[in-house]
Amino acid sequence: MGLRDLPPLLLLLVDCWASVSAQAGDTPVVTTEALNSTKPAPTTFRPAVSPRPHETPRAPRPSSDPRPTPVTDDKPALSFINPEVPDESNFDKLMKTSDGFSTNAESDVSLTTKPDAPNTAKYEYGVHLQTSHSFLRFPSPLTSSLCTDNNPAAFLVNQAVKCTRRINLEQCTEIETLSLAYYSSPKILRVPGSGTKVPITVQSILIQSLNKTLTRLEDTDTDVLRPLVLIEAGHDKICTNIILEVKYSLTYTNAGEIIKADVFVLLGAVSSAMVPFQQKFEIYFIQQNTKPVPLSGNPGYVVGLPLAAGFQPQKGSGIMQTTNRYGQLTLLRSTAEQDCLAIAGIRTPVLFGYNMQSGCKLRLTKAIACRLVAQKVESLLKGQGFPDYVAPFGNSQAQDVLDWVPVHFITQTSHMKDSCQLPVALAIEVKWTKYGSLLNPQAKIVNVTANLISSSFPETNSGNKRTILISTAVTFVDVSAPAEAGFRARPTINARLPFNFFFPFV
């Protein structure tokens, strides 16, 4: 039944209602019957009743959706329009209108800055280092041990990696990632998005031969360096001047600017029998007007490196340390003369994991006052500036005072009438434990005790001499708890049965 079969009065009422709805700004109603019909729907034209001028309605968009597309002149209601479904015909148009896509085919890192995004004008932690064309590439292994060249270097992220390079040696001269120019030619932007470029300066070039002999090149000008050369030696082929190691050193300021970039490289010869070969890449950052502080471990202590120690000058301040890390915690150093007064000031550092003992001989006469001798021997045992704290890890920061381990100083004396109390030994005990994963445990110091032992000696008679043995020792004690295999706890059943579940058996 179509609209023409309705009575004239009903048609008039329908037309009046549609006219009032259209003048109120509502969406025109389209009946399902009219949509399914191939005949055009009749339209009745009549003058507008509203005092305001009638706006021209927008034409509906063509769409493959069988549902009607609502048409409105109210801008806040535009969000209710049915979105276009991406297909083969409109995908390119949606790509242009959308700002959420990156069309950079060279890498997955988009270096284009949005116009409305604030320009920080400085590098922040983890931000990719930008170059004049893209970003500074730092090859590293990702899903396998093979080198991935599109890995970006990040600001203040120190890295040291090794990866394997599998190549066809006959085409080595055509692989740019094997040449020095690939790592020294990029120019780093001083700050992101700026026009100031910082060139990479080659500071050192070492040449490694097939027999592992190293030779340093005096001229580091990359313009006169020998390029990659393929040499045929009988049935074997050798490619020379291949990059084996690259080390970047970048200097930055407090404002987050890169002001200097250096690179140290190791070039070598690779034969067919050496393919695939290993490459090593390293990058580290140095703040301007500061010197890198050598560490005794990262994070755990490394056996053979000195203990980091210091003292707190006042409550609330950080740990003060000497610039000589081998002089922060020391012992007496034995000499062939074995004279304590002659070796004053000669010390040996306490190295992690090394149990050490040293000593000397002190000759006493009645002419020397006992109190002065006691003070001299104590300063001889403790050294100058005996520390109050020891770092728990090899890379502990001086400002993290609560993490440092205090040195417990204990004094043991023995009293005897008409005797002289002299310190004769200083025994230091360092307790450490294995911290972290069982696969890669880290050495952590948990307790340090310094025991000053004194003995009583009778006063010497006039003209008599006495020889006393003075000794110092340090002992490292492993207090690690035995590793226990961890298992997940068995699940517990918290289900409760009805009180008469076992009725009538119980």
Side-chain angles (χ1 to χ4, degrees):
M1 180 177 179
L3 294 176
R4 296 181 180 179
D5 299 332
L6 295 176
L9 181 59
L10 183 58
L11 284 175
L12 180 61
L13 293 176
V14 171
D15 291 342
C16 292
W17 176 80
S19 176
V20 173
S21 300
Q23 293 174 10
D26 295 338
T27 302
V29 178
V30 183
T31 61
T32 306
E33 185 177 358
L35 286 172
N36 297 332
S37 177
T38 57
K39 299 180 181 180
T43 305
T44 304
F45 297 92
R46 45 177 54 88
V49 182
S50 176
R52 63 175 180 147
H54 181 69
E55 297 179 358
T56 303
R58 300 180 183 178
R61 296 182 181 178
S63 175
S64 59
D65 194 339
R67 295 175 299 176
T69 303
V71 180
T72 180
D73 290 330
D74 191 3
K75 292 185 178 181
L78 292 178
S79 60
F80 298 97
I81 297 177
N82 294 335
E84 294 188 58
V85 179
D87 53 20
E88 296 180 357
S89 60
N90 61 1
F91 183 78
D92 294 336
K93 182 182 69 174
L94 295 178
M95 280 283 292
K96 295 179 180 179
T97 58
S98 174
D99 59 353
F101 293 89
S102 173
T103 57
N104 189 355
E106 183 178 1
S107 66
D108 294 334
V109 182
S110 178
L111 298 180
T112 57
T113 305
K114 297 181 181 180
D116 56 347
N119 186 13
T120 57
K122 68 175 182 179
Y123 282 107
E124 296 181 354
Y125 177 82
V127 175
H128 299 158
L129 296 178
Q130 299 182 13
T131 60
S132 54
H133 299 288
S134 179
F135 56 88
L136 182 63
R137 287 171 168 79
F138 185 79
S140 62
L142 293 182
T143 58
S144 64
S145 61
L146 298 179
C147 296
T148 303
D149 297 316
N150 285 334
N151 182 53
F155 183 63
L156 294 184
V157 179
N158 298 333
Q159 300 182 67
V161 298
K162 295 180 181 179
C163 58
T164 303
R165 184 77 67 176
R166 183 179 285 113
I167 62 171
N168 183 1
L169 200 63
E170 296 180 354
Q171 302 176 354
C172 69
T173 57
E174 303 175 3
I175 304 175
E176 60 177 358
T177 56
L178 302 180
S179 63
L180 173 59
Y182 180 82
Y183 304 96
S184 60
S185 61
K187 296 182 179 180
I188 304 175
L189 302 186
R190 185 182 182 95
V191 293
S194 73
T196 306
K197 304 174 184 179
V198 179
I200 299 178
T201 305
V202 180
Q203 294 291 348
S204 173
I205 300 178
L206 292 177
I207 302 295
Q208 177 178 293
S209 62
L210 289 176
N211 57 1
K212 309 300 181 181
T213 303
L214 297 179
T215 305
R216 183 183 296 273
L217 289 184
E218 298 298 334
D219 190 359
T220 59
D221 189 359
T222 56
D223 296 335
V224 297
L225 286 179
R226 293 168 294 176
L228 294 170
V229 178
L230 182 62
I231 303 174
E232 294 188 4
H235 299 286
D236 197 6
K237 293 180 178 163
I238 302 173
C239 191
T240 60
N241 298 331
I242 287 183
I243 283 287
L244 298 180
E245 293 185 12
V246 176
K247 182 183 294 185
Y248 286 110
S249 174
L250 303 181
T251 305
Y252 67 97
T253 64
N254 291 332
E257 300 178 351
I258 300 295
I259 60 174
K260 186 180 180 183
D262 298 329
V263 65
F264 306 82
V265 297
L266 172 63
L267 305 178
V270 177
S271 62
S272 302
M274 299 170 60
V275 177
F277 60 96
Q278 190 179 69
Q279 291 179 310
K280 182 179 179 181
F281 301 93
E282 183 177 354
I283 183 172
Y284 59 92
F285 295 82
I286 302 176
Q287 190 173 351
Q288 186 184 20
N289 299 328
T290 60
K291 295 182 179 179
V293 179
L295 303 175
S296 297
N298 188 23
Y301 277 98
V302 177
V303 176
L305 294 183
L307 265 64
F311 61 94
Q312 189 178 19
Q314 59 183 2
K315 189 176 182 180
S317 65
I319 301 297
M320 302 293 293
Q321 298 175 265
T322 61
T323 55
N324 180 19
R325 65 174 184 151
Y326 286 91
Q328 297 177 4
L329 181 59
T330 59
L331 296 177
L332 272 175
R333 184 174 181 178
S334 300
T335 59
E337 294 79 10
Q338 293 294 310
D339 188 356
C340 292
L341 299 179
I343 64 174
I346 302 178
R347 314 287 294 182
T348 184
V350 175
L351 305 179
F352 182 81
Y354 285 10
N355 297 334
M356 296 182 292
Q357 185 174 1
S358 61
C360 59
K361 294 180 180 180
L362 182 63
R363 295 173 177 83
L364 298 179
T365 61
K366 191 175 179 57
I368 304 176
C370 177
R371 179 173 298 180
L372 294 178
V373 175
Q375 294 177 355
K376 180 65 177 179
V377 174
E378 183 175 353
S379 63
L380 188 66
L381 292 173
K382 296 172 60 176
Q384 184 178 6
F386 191 81
D388 300 328
Y389 292 89
V390 173
F393 292 107
N395 64 346
S396 297
Q397 301 296 322
Q399 62 268 21
D400 301 331
V401 182
L402 297 179
D403 295 338
W404 286 59
V405 179
V407 178
H408 302 283
F409 203 87
I410 302 175
T411 303
Q412 294 182 0
T413 59
S414 59
H415 298 281
M416 184 182 299
K417 189 178 180 179
D418 297 334
S419 62
C420 179
Q421 296 287 333
L422 293 178
V424 294
L426 177 64
I428 301 176
E429 183 184 59
V430 180
K431 295 181 180 180
W432 65 281
T433 182
K434 297 182 180 69
Y435 181 84
S437 172
L438 293 176
L439 299 177
N440 187 23
Q442 303 295 313
K444 176 184 179 181
I445 294 177
V446 295
N447 183 270
V448 179
T449 303
N451 194 353
L452 183 63
I453 304 174
S454 300
S455 298
S456 300
F457 297 94
E459 296 288 347
T460 58
N461 297 327
S462 179
N464 295 336
K465 294 183 180 181
R466 183 185 298 274
T467 302
I468 301 175
L469 180 62
I470 308 297
S471 64
T472 56
V474 60
T475 306
F476 288 85
V477 181
D478 186 359
V479 294
S480 302
E484 297 180 358
F487 299 96
R488 291 184 178 179
R490 293 182 177 272
T492 58
I493 301 176
N494 296 325
R496 300 180 62 182
L497 300 176
F499 69 96
N500 59 348
F501 182 79
F502 295 100
F503 181 80
F505 304 103
V506 177

